[in-house]
Amino acid sequence: MNNKALIIFVTLVCALLFFFINQMTPHPGQTSGNGNPAIPFIVVLVLLFCYLVFLWFKVFDNVVVKRLHLIFIMVLIFIYWIIGLLYQKASFIIYRNVLANAHKEEYDIIDWDYINQITSFMSIHVNNQYFNVNTYLISLTASIFTALLFKLPRA
């Protein structure tokens, strides 16, 4: 398989893993078991990310591009990251409020300590906030950005 076909294959596998992890999120008001079963898949995604950077680098290494064009593409990616992260932060705040409202409907009060606990970093309740279309595109562009960063001295 050539590098371009491998890139397509790996990005599709990553997209499926993002979707699978996203679907592991319990619905608001639903309880979950102990731990986050998505953690092993995150390790696989990190390894695939590194492989994807390597593949992008191999593809870009064979392309002659002016340094100014590389910098322009990297700036565009960086602007996308800012927009994507701002969107993700707003989405997270809305999701916390959805969880708080579901908790209030069930218990007639909002226990913010509980809401903060279930929206902590590795909680299963926030898988859909870390693994969605936006974060997939951010990670994909991060792999491209990293490969371009390695290409920059050679341009």
Side-chain angles (χ1 to χ4, degrees), residues 65-79 144-145 147-155:
V65 181
K66 292 182 181 179
R67 180 179 286 238
L68 187 61
H69 292 143
L70 285 179
I71 292 171
F72 180 72
I73 292 168
M74 293 170 79
V75 167
L76 286 179
I77 289 173
F78 189 75
I79 290 169
I144 295 169
F145 185 90
L148 290 175
L149 200 56
F150 287 118
K151 167 106 176 131
L152 197 57
R154 296 177 170 199

Side-chain angles (χ1 to χ4, degrees), residues 44-59:
V44 173
L45 279 172
V46 169
L47 295 173
L48 287 174
F49 175 84
C50 294
Y51 186 54
L52 198 54
V53 169
F54 172 75
L55 291 173
W56 282 120
F57 179 75
K58 287 291 189 186
V59 168

Side-chain angles (χ1 to χ4, degrees), residues 53-145:
V53 169
F54 172 75
L55 291 173
W56 282 120
F57 179 75
K58 287 291 189 186
V59 168
F60 295 146
D61 201 33
N62 298 326
V63 178
V64 178
V65 181
K66 292 182 181 179
R67 180 179 286 238
L68 187 61
H69 292 143
L70 285 179
I71 292 171
F72 180 72
I73 292 168
M74 293 170 79
V75 167
L76 286 179
I77 289 173
F78 189 75
I79 290 169
Y80 171 71
W81 287 347
I82 292 169
I83 294 167
L85 291 174
L86 289 173
Y87 170 81
Q88 204 57 44
K89 182 174 177 155
S91 174
F92 181 75
I93 291 168
I94 291 169
Y95 184 68
R96 282 186 61 199
N97 289 332
V98 167
L99 289 174
N101 290 335
H103 193 267
K104 184 175 182 174
E105 282 182 22
E106 191 165 333
Y107 300 107
D108 292 327
I109 62 164
I110 298 176
D111 182 358
W112 283 106
D113 288 334
Y114 173 74
I115 299 300
N116 289 332
Q117 179 186 7
I118 67 170
T119 56
S120 65
F121 178 63
M122 294 301 281
S123 171
I124 191 172
H125 293 276
V126 290
N127 282 349
N128 63 354
Q129 295 300 303
Y130 297 137
F131 298 94
N132 54 50
V133 174
N134 182 45
T135 56
Y136 170 73
L137 292 174
I138 289 173
S139 69
L140 187 61
T141 57
S143 68
I144 295 169
F145 185 90

